[in-house]
Amino acid sequence: MNGVKGGRQAAVRALVNIRLLIPMTANDLPLTREAILDAAEQVLRRFGPDKTSVVDIAKVLKVSHGTLYRHFASKASIREAVTERWLHQSITIPLAAIGDEAGGSAAAQLRLWMETLIGLKRSFSTQDAEMFSMYAAVTLIEAEMIAQHVERLIEQVGRLIDKGMQNGEFKAADSAQLARALFLATSRFHHPAHAAEWLLEGNAADFEAVWTLLMRGMLSS
């Protein structure tokens, strides 16, 4: 047990040392929300969401843990803010770039958007396991924040569907309602609750079957 505790303390000291190598700027004082989230993300990746404490984060920032409570009410609120920022930077922004592309086929863009969402989630589940684990946990306890994230994604899908309707690729319909239905119909392939299924044989074929069925109902010809 002492060895485990000693290893944890050494890891925190290593993170503190990394922080000391970064030159101080005017942005370091006073302590900012972004600085706290940067430090929290470092520590969360090092220890995982369950073992990370507010004290660990405070040590990296060289402040008291009480200082952090002036910015965040609890450890849970820090985790939520880190997750929200991670989702925005890692999921929402890359997907928005696909929808912002001018010209081309809306159906092809929509397929690329969905494949990118699925690919990002699958990649994060194995290559950024700590953050993905925290995201999966947050989906169970922070329904409002996750709902807002999902709504932003559905809005992106809706804009692509609108584009397809305008250029005649998709049948005329309520694009917002259709976007929600498409997102929910494909949830097995991108919702974290199904992460264990993503590497199973046949998963790609299942997605292809679902996508073909959805497009058959949407395409104008």
Side-chain angles (χ1 to χ4, degrees), residues 35-51:
I36 295 172
L37 295 182
D38 287 342
E41 191 168 327
Q42 286 182 51
V43 179
L44 285 161
R45 281 198 165 95
R46 185 70 176 82
F47 298 131
D50 294 331
K51 295 181 180 179

Side-chain angles (χ1 to χ4, degrees), residues 15-217:
L15 289 172
V16 172
N17 290 336
I18 291 172
R19 176 72 178 170
L20 291 174
L21 293 175
I22 302 173
M24 292 191 69
T25 68
N27 290 331
D28 290 310
L29 294 173
L31 186 63
T32 65
R33 176 185 174 87
E34 286 302 305
I36 295 172
L37 295 182
D38 287 342
E41 191 168 327
Q42 286 182 51
V43 179
L44 285 161
R45 281 198 165 95
R46 185 70 176 82
F47 298 131
D50 294 331
K51 295 181 180 179
T52 293
S53 71
V54 175
V55 172
D56 292 333
I57 300 168
K59 285 180 179 178
V60 172
L61 292 165
K62 297 181 64 180
V63 299
S64 70
H65 65 280
T67 300
L68 301 189
Y69 286 124
R70 297 173 192 165
H71 297 263
F72 296 93
S74 63
K75 172 185 168 180
S77 65
I78 295 176
R79 286 175 53 175
E80 179 184 348
V82 170
T83 304
E84 185 174 24
R85 187 179 72 162
W86 178 76
L87 285 172
H88 181 69
Q89 294 174 345
S90 302
I91 303 290
T92 307
I93 291 177
L95 291 175
I98 295 172
D100 290 341
E101 288 289 331
S105 163
Q109 279 185 292
L110 187 58
R111 173 68 182 247
L112 176 60
W113 188 97
M114 185 58 67
E115 288 180 340
T116 302
L117 173 63
I118 291 170
L120 287 170
K121 294 287 187 72
R122 180 170 175 170
S123 175
F124 292 141
S125 70
T126 57
Q127 298 178 28
D128 198 358
E130 291 79 11
M131 291 299 295
F132 187 83
S133 175
M134 186 166 66
Y135 157 55
V138 167
T139 62
L140 302 176
I141 59 177
E142 296 295 343
E144 183 177 351
M145 187 269 281
I146 294 298
Q148 290 174 355
H149 167 68
V150 168
E151 286 302 319
R152 295 186 190 102
L153 299 187
I154 291 175
E155 286 173 7
Q156 292 182 15
V157 173
R159 287 194 290 272
L160 287 172
I161 292 174
D162 273 332
K163 176 182 176 180
M165 290 179 182
Q166 290 167 10
N167 65 21
E169 287 182 75
F170 297 144
K171 299 171 185 176
D174 184 327
S175 60
Q177 187 179 61
L178 194 55
R180 182 174 299 280
L182 186 147
F183 190 86
L184 294 176
T186 57
S187 61
R188 175 191 160 188
F189 307 101
H190 52 74
H191 192 288
H194 297 279
E197 303 171 39
W198 296 343
L199 299 179
L200 294 178
E201 185 177 355
N203 188 66
D206 288 345
F207 170 74
E208 195 63 43
V210 170
W211 192 258
T212 299
L213 181 64
L214 292 170
M215 289 300 101
R216 189 175 298 160

